[in-house]
Amino acid sequence: MNFGLLAAGSVIAMIPCVILYVALQRYYVAGLASGSVKG
């Protein structure tokens, strides 16, 4: 197996997920904070 090619492919596959998480991070934090408040 070519581990260099496998590592490069996995990094390329992760990039869109990381960009999406960074772009929507404020909504994740707001949703977690509002969900943890009782009442």
Side-chain angles (χ1 to χ4, degrees):
M1 283 183 74
N2 188 351
F3 288 107
L5 187 62
L6 187 64
S10 62
V11 167
I12 290 173
M14 269 189 338
I15 288 173
C17 298
V18 171
I19 291 173
L20 192 65
Y21 175 75
V22 169
L24 299 176
Q25 187 175 10
R26 66 174 66 104
Y27 299 112
Y28 291 140
V29 172
L32 289 173
S34 68
S36 64
V37 176
K38 276 190 167 182

